[in-house]
Amino acid sequence: MNRKEAFLADRRGAVAFEMMFVFVLLMISCFLPLADVAIAGFQYISAMEALRAFGQSIQYSGPTDLGDTSTWQTAALAKADSSYPISNFQLICGDTSAVCSAANTANPKYYSYQTSFTLSPIVLTSVLCPNGCTITLSYSERFQ
């Protein structure tokens, strides 16, 4: 056996060379999509927790006058997490989903509000963001 045949027969380094390609394939096909899903999950959980924390903070300091709640709403919105701004903050009175006013103070009474966050997926844009990457979460809680 000459030297060239001996070199061709010895293939101990082939696996080390192929491992680079297998690792790149695994990174692109498995780990990056998994990271997209994990980041989306963490952002969703954080937004829901921000909504619940805001609800808890206003639960114990409700409005005193349901006829004029503008100053109370301004003070309550100041307590919200700045990373997840609260929008569409309303006081709902009664089962008809009507906004509370001096003329409408029916029971039950609810807080209703929303927040939004934006996803920025690396690979799964078409799966996680079929209608755009801004997700709006709503939250409602009874206070009386």
Side-chain angles (χ1 to χ4, degrees):
M1 182 183 302
N2 65 16
R3 188 175 172 139
K4 184 178 179 183
E5 291 173 359
F7 180 71
L8 291 176
D10 184 15
R11 297 183 181 238
R12 289 180 288 186
V15 172
F17 183 70
E18 292 170 359
M19 186 59 195
M20 293 185 304
F21 299 110
V22 170
F23 183 72
V24 169
L25 180 69
L26 277 175
M27 283 294 292
I28 292 172
S29 66
C30 287
F31 297 145
L32 288 178
L34 186 61
D36 281 347
V37 172
I39 291 169
F42 285 131
Q43 287 181 333
Y44 178 83
I45 291 170
S46 295
M48 280 304 293
E49 287 302 313
L51 287 174
R52 292 185 68 209
F54 179 71
Q56 186 177 9
S57 72
I58 61 176
Q59 182 73 26
Y60 297 110
S61 60
T64 55
D65 179 21
L66 292 174
D68 181 27
T69 60
S70 60
T71 56
W72 175 81
Q73 283 183 340
T74 305
L77 287 172
K79 299 176 186 177
D81 186 0
S82 61
S83 301
Y84 299 98
I86 301 296
S87 62
N88 200 17
F89 183 34
Q90 298 177 343
L91 294 173
I92 308 294
C93 289
D95 291 329
T96 60
S97 298
V99 177
C100 292
S101 65
N104 180 20
T105 59
N107 282 332
K109 296 175 179 66
Y110 294 90
Y111 303 120
S112 174
Y113 46 91
Q114 298 174 334
T115 192
S116 297
F117 64 96
T118 303
L119 294 177
S120 54
I122 301 167
V123 179
L124 296 176
T125 304
S126 60
V127 176
L128 293 175
C129 303
N131 301 324
C133 283
T134 300
I135 297 172
T136 303
L137 299 176
S138 299
Y139 191 78
S140 180
E141 186 174 346
R142 185 175 174 168
F143 72 93
Q144 197 176 31

